[in-house]
């Protein structure tokens, strides 16, 4: 469970209702772009490993698909407890509950929550956390081989949209905010931990990058 020092009110934004909607969308349409490309990059050998740690794993759909693709073990650390019921059902329905561990808490503040894994994944997480450097440093420290990351591009129109996006959580008295972090700062935090970028691709909104350990 989240501790008193962790961001408050995330469950107001990432609610059980949102989790059920995400699960219904996944059952109908499959993975969204960044998770789908992650599985494809795993399948084509861009990165590899037997275990995955996903920070901000949501309903766990990516973990399900990576386990199906050949990974042996998965772990998730999710800030909001509201996803757990929907995620548990997906794992049980896929027959994979015994190969996945789900934990809740603020990973940036409590990196000891998770054991190291061959691959660490963060999709649509950096944009939800104020201290991106701390989050990415903790994630990179847990990556034995690779880190896979998606994050918003630094466009003028996304920067203009962010304050509008943040009106709703302010009204709900939630600590959650949408952030556009500097790409230079993101890369610096990961590279300082001994990983280098080996793959990058884009949509109009997001970057998707794969980093490999050099040490």
């Amino acid at each position: 469970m989240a501790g008193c020092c962790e961001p408050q009110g995330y469950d107001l934004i990432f609610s059980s209702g949102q989790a059920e909607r995400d699960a219904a969308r996944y059952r109908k349409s499959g993975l969204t772009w960044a998770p789908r490309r992650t599985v494809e990059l795993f399948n084509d050998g861009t990165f590899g490993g037997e275990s995955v740690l996903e920070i901000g794993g949501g309903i766990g759909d990516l973990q399900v698909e990576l386990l199906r693709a050949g990974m042996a073990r998965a772990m998730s650390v999710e800030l909001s407890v509201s996803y757990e019921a929907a995620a548990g059902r997906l794992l049980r329905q896929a027959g994979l509950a015994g190969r996945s561990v789900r934990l809740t808490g603020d990973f940036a503040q409590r990196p000891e929550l998770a054991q190291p894994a061959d691959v660490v994944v963060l999709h649509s997480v950096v944009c939800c956390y104020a201290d991106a450097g701390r989050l990415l440093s903790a994630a990179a420290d847990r990556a034995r081989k690779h880190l896979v990351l998606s994050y918003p591009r630094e466009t003028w129109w996304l920067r203009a949209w962010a304050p509008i996006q943040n009106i709703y959580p302010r009204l709900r008295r939630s600590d959650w905010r949408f952030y556009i972090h500097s790409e230079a700062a993101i890369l610096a935090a990961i590279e300082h931990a001994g990983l280098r970028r080996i793959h990058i691709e884009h949509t109009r909104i997001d970057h998707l990058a794969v980093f490999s350990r050099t040490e």
Side-chain angles (χ1 to χ4, degrees), residues 157-177:
W157 54 271
L158 271 178
R159 288 196 176 279
W161 179 74
I164 300 172
Q165 169 73 13
N166 289 330
I167 292 173
Y168 177 70
R170 289 181 186 278
L171 292 175
R172 296 294 304 274
R173 297 185 178 179
S174 169
D175 287 348
W176 180 84
R177 299 292 185 271

Side-chain angles (χ1 to χ4, degrees), residues 107-125:
F107 175 75
Q109 298 286 342
R110 301 167 60 198
E112 71 279 2
L113 281 170
Q115 296 297 314
D118 292 338
V119 181
V120 175
V121 179
L122 302 93
H123 285 323
S124 301
V125 175

Side-chain angles (χ1 to χ4, degrees), residues 87-150:
R89 281 194 294 274
L90 285 181
L91 285 166
R92 290 191 296 272
Q93 290 164 2
L96 298 169
R99 292 164 59 189
S100 180
V101 175
R102 292 188 59 88
L103 303 168
T104 56
D106 186 340
F107 175 75
Q109 298 286 342
R110 301 167 60 198
E112 71 279 2
L113 281 170
Q115 296 297 314
D118 292 338
V119 181
V120 175
V121 179
L122 302 93
H123 285 323
S124 301
V125 175
V126 172
C127 59
C128 297
Y129 206 87
D131 193 344
R134 184 169 188 168
L135 175 64
L136 291 169
S137 294
D141 182 65
R142 287 294 185 265
R144 285 194 289 254
K145 295 182 178 181
H146 306 284
L147 186 145
V148 183
L149 171 71
S150 65

Side-chain angles (χ1 to χ4, degrees), residues 36 42 56 85 122 128 155 203:
R36 175 177 55 79
F42 174 74
L122 302 93
C128 297
T155 63
T203 66

Side-chain angles (χ1 to χ4, degrees), residues 14-59:
F14 303 102
S15 63
S16 57
Q18 183 62 54
E20 294 299 338
R21 289 188 291 273
D22 289 348
R25 176 206 46 75
Y26 165 63
R27 291 187 179 98
K28 179 180 180 181
S29 305
L31 296 174
T32 55
W33 174 74
R36 175 177 55 79
R37 285 295 296 141
T38 300
V39 176
E40 291 169 353
L41 292 169
F42 174 74
N43 285 333
D44 72 17
T46 300
F47 70 92
E50 294 188 353
S51 59
V52 60
L53 165 63
E54 187 175 13
I55 309 303
I59 58 169

